[in-house]
């Protein structure tokens, strides 16, 4: 059994029925010519983790220093804050090097992205929440990682932390000294590195995965496509309902995600340089890997129940149908989302009319206007209540896995 490559082990495992075949990505063939780095190479991102961060986190976890780090991090929230005192010296030195924007970050584009996020906020709440958030549960690796990690046992807290990331990313000053996003991203990068050390110690996780170490660069790219690329595609689709988005705004929105990926430790050679390149990568890495898992079905249900626990002015059936509407019935069926055909009819006709009216392109207020309005405002409030800087749920580095 010597010299077996990771991929041949995966193929063998899948052939023997030992693992879910959907988890194993096919051999990488996306050329980095269309990446930020622009180098014409074909490196497999599923074999790339985070060399700069992973050994550091492993050592901090093994020497029980993470609780102290989490305490010190409480006062470190804004991009312009000085590094907190009392951190282990290696971590201070790491943060000095990595807690910053890449040299290619373009502040003018980031400013335009911030304005765009503000203008589109209602649509973004909806698409990130009922689209991307639920899509993450049909990405088998992500669903299993989230389920078996420490935070998987408390999805309300986890959702609140994810909202923190989204809120910080979408704030007008996200990338400025008064904003929070660079720090929040660095904390997330450290969290992912901790998970890479911790999850392989979970027997339950090892039993359901083909993946020796979680959260590779390839995995992060998949999640990016379920967020940025998916939302961009939906907004393009909704242009036929009257939504306006200029080419400069599209480019700025991509740039924001490019910087976000860099801050999460994705190598520049994997970050798509254009939306065309992102779409191509997404067709390649996201679409074929989507599938149902018991963990994902459970997580989707928990997430949708969290959302419907606030008054959105609609029934649970309507909310589930909206998720189907933005994601596809194929995904809805995988997740066993209940059907409500009457609500679906209302959505199919009412949503385009609502967007048209909201964008000022139709003088006629559609019949279901207040229904859609309360629905979308309810989602926004849910997001904002969790993510505002006053009731902030800080991202903390885990020290264990989901209990037994
Ligand atoms: C933690 C964002 C990709 C698995 C987090 C956190 C954020 C985040 C904000 C901290 C909040 C929390 O602890 O719950 C992102 C973003 C991604 C990404 C923006 C890509 C664009 C991934 C991928 C996986 C993953 C690809 C797995 C395949 C996890 C896990 C945790 C985590 C297991 C820790 C949960 C815990 O504390 O137990 N991520 N993530 N993430 N992420 Fe990610």
């Amino acid at each position: 059994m010597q010299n077996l490559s990771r991929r041949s082990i995966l193929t063998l495992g899948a052939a023997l029925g030992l693992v879910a075949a959907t988890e194993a990505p096919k051999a990488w063939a996306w050329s980095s010519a269309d990446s930020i780095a622009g180098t014409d190479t074909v490196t497999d991102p599923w074999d790339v983790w985070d060399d700069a961060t992973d050994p550091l986190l492993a050592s901090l976890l093994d020497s029980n220093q993470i609780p102290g780090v989490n305490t010190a991090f409480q006062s470190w929230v804004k991009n312009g804050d000085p590094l907190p005192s009392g951190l282990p010296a290696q971590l201070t030195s790491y943060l000095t090097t990595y807690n910053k924007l890449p040299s290619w970050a373009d502040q003018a584009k980031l400013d335009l992205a911030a304005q765009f996020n503000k203008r589109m906020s209602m649509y973004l709440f909806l698409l990130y929440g009922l689209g991307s958030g639920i899509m993450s549960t049909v990405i088998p690796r992500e669903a299993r990682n989230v389920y078996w990690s420490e935070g998987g046992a408390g999805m309300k807290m986890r959702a609140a932390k994810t909202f923190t990331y989204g809120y910080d990313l979408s704030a007008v000053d996200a990338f400025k000294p008064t904003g929070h996003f660079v720090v929040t991203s660095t904390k997330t990068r450290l969290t992912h590195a901790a998970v890479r050390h911790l999850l392989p110690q979970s027997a339950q996780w090892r039993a359901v995965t083909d993946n020796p170490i979680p959260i590779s660069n390839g995995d992060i790219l998949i999640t990016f496509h379920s967020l940025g690329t998916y939302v961009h595609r939906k907004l393009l689709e909704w242009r036929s309902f009257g939504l306006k988005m200029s080419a400069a705004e599209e480019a700025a929105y991509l740039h924001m995600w490019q910087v976000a990926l860099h801050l999460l430790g994705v190598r520049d050679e994997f970050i798509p340089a254009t939306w065309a390149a992102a779409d191509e990568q997404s067709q390649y890495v996201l679409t074929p890997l989507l599938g149902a898992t018991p963990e994902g079905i459970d997580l989707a249900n928990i997430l949708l129940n969290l959302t419907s626990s606030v008054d959105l002015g609609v029934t649970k059936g309507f909310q589930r149908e909206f998720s189907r509407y933005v994601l596809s019935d194929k995904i809805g069926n995988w997740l066993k989302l209940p059907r409500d055909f009457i609500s679906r009819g209302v959505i199919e006709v009412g949503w385009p009319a609502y967007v048209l009216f909201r964008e000022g392109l139709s003088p006629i207020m559609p019949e279901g206007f207040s229904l859609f309005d309360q629905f979308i405002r309810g989602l926004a409030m849910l997001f904002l209540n969790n993510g505002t800087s006053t009731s902030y749920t800080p991202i903390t580095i885990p020290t264990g896995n989901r209990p037994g």
Side-chain angles (χ1 to χ4, degrees):
M1 289 288 279
Q2 270 170 358
N3 295 330
L4 270 182
S5 71
R6 182 183 72 98
R7 195 149 322 271
S8 54
I9 292 172
L10 295 184
T11 315
L12 181 64
L16 294 173
L18 298 178
V19 293
T22 41
E23 262 211 23
K26 65 177 180 176
W28 184 252
W30 189 82
S31 162
S32 293
D34 292 331
S35 72
I36 293 268
T39 47
D40 190 9
T41 49
V42 183
T43 309
D44 185 341
W46 280 291
D47 280 339
V48 173
W49 288 274
D50 190 346
D51 295 345
T53 319
D54 296 344
L56 171 63
L57 261 288
S59 123
L60 293 175
L61 280 164
D62 289 344
S63 53
N64 197 27
Q65 296 193 71
I66 293 300
V69 169
N70 279 331
T71 307
F73 273 2
Q74 280 169 9
S75 62
W76 185 54
V77 283
K78 287 193 185 143
N79 303 335
D81 284 345
L83 293 181
S85 55
L87 292 178
Q90 322 93 287
L91 181 58
T92 304
S93 145
Y94 170 90
L95 294 174
T96 311
T97 310
Y98 293 101
N99 184 57
K100 56 166 93 127
L101 295 177
S103 57
W104 45 261
D106 178 336
Q107 197 58 58
K109 276 190 177 172
L110 294 174
D111 286 345
L112 182 59
Q115 291 311 320
F116 177 69
N117 285 330
K118 199 169 158 194
R119 188 166 71 76
M120 289 289 176
S121 60
M122 291 295 181
Y123 303 113
L124 294 178
F125 295 139
L126 178 81
L127 288 171
Y128 285 139
L130 290 185
S132 309
I134 304 306
M135 199 193 299
S136 73
T137 69
V138 290
I139 301 173
R141 278 190 178 175
E142 187 168 345
R144 290 179 173 132
N145 287 4
V146 167
Y147 191 88
W148 291 111
S149 63
E150 195 172 64
M155 283 307 285
K156 193 166 185 184
M157 176 62 89
R158 222 199 103 87
K161 288 178 179 173
T162 309
F163 282 165
T164 297
Y165 180 94
Y167 180 78
D168 290 349
L169 173 64
S170 310
V172 238
D173 56 355
F175 296 88
K176 300 217 157 101
T178 51
H180 296 191
F181 187 66
V182 179
V183 170
T184 295
S185 295
T186 300
K187 288 180 181 173
T188 305
R189 184 173 177 178
L190 296 171
T191 295
H192 285 161
V195 170
R196 289 189 197 101
H197 186 61
L198 292 168
L199 261 189
Q201 299 170 36
S202 157
Q204 287 99 328
W205 178 73
R206 284 201 315 271
V208 294
T209 191
D210 63 12
N211 193 9
I213 309 167
I215 325 183
S216 64
N217 266 208
D219 293 321
I220 297 179
L221 289 170
I222 295 176
T223 305
F224 154 62
H225 293 305
S226 74
L227 289 157
T229 312
Y230 161 77
V231 166
H232 174 246
R233 203 167 44 236
K234 286 314 275 189
L235 294 178
L236 281 182
E237 232 176 88
W238 290 354
R239 281 214 288 214
S240 63
F241 309 160
L243 213 68
K244 290 179 264 331
M245 177 167 57
S246 69
E249 285 173 327
E250 284 183 68
Y253 183 67
L254 173 63
H255 190 66
M256 174 195 84
W257 273 110
Q258 289 167 330
V259 175
L261 286 172
H262 177 94
L263 291 172
L264 285 178
V266 176
R267 288 188 191 167
D268 291 357
E269 70 192 84
F270 301 132
I271 302 178
T274 61
W275 277 123
D279 283 332
E280 193 200 347
Q281 206 186 60
S282 174
Q283 285 307 317
Y284 182 66
V285 302
L286 173 70
T287 315
L289 290 180
L290 295 176
T293 58
E295 289 89 348
I297 293 171
D298 196 21
L299 290 177
N301 211 16
I302 295 171
L303 287 173
L304 286 165
N305 282 344
L306 279 180
T307 320
S308 52
S309 67
V310 294
D311 178 25
L312 300 174
V314 297
T315 61
K316 231 167 147 172
F318 182 98
Q319 182 231 24
R320 264 51 170 187
E321 278 299 337
F322 216 104
S323 201
R324 281 176 170 270
Y325 177 70
V326 291
L327 280 176
S328 79
D329 282 323
K330 188 173 174 188
I331 293 181
N333 291 342
W334 281 343
L335 293 172
K336 305 186 195 311
L337 302 184
R339 299 302 328 233
D340 176 344
F341 291 104
I342 295 177
S343 290
R344 181 56 169 264
V346 172
I347 294 166
E348 301 258 2
V349 176
W351 180 251
Y354 171 80
V355 177
L356 213 64
F357 182 74
R358 242 183 145 251
E359 297 301 309
L361 292 175
S362 163
I364 306 156
M365 189 191 282
E367 218 174 287
F369 182 84
S370 55
L371 182 77
F372 287 108
D373 220 40
Q374 188 170 343
F375 179 59
I376 205 164
R377 279 174 204 282
L379 286 173
M381 285 321 293
L382 180 77
F383 175 78
L384 293 171
N385 284 340
N386 278 282
T388 53
S389 41
T390 43
S391 63
Y392 206 70
T393 308
I395 290 170
T396 48
I397 303 170
T399 53
N401 291 314
R402 184 184 179 117

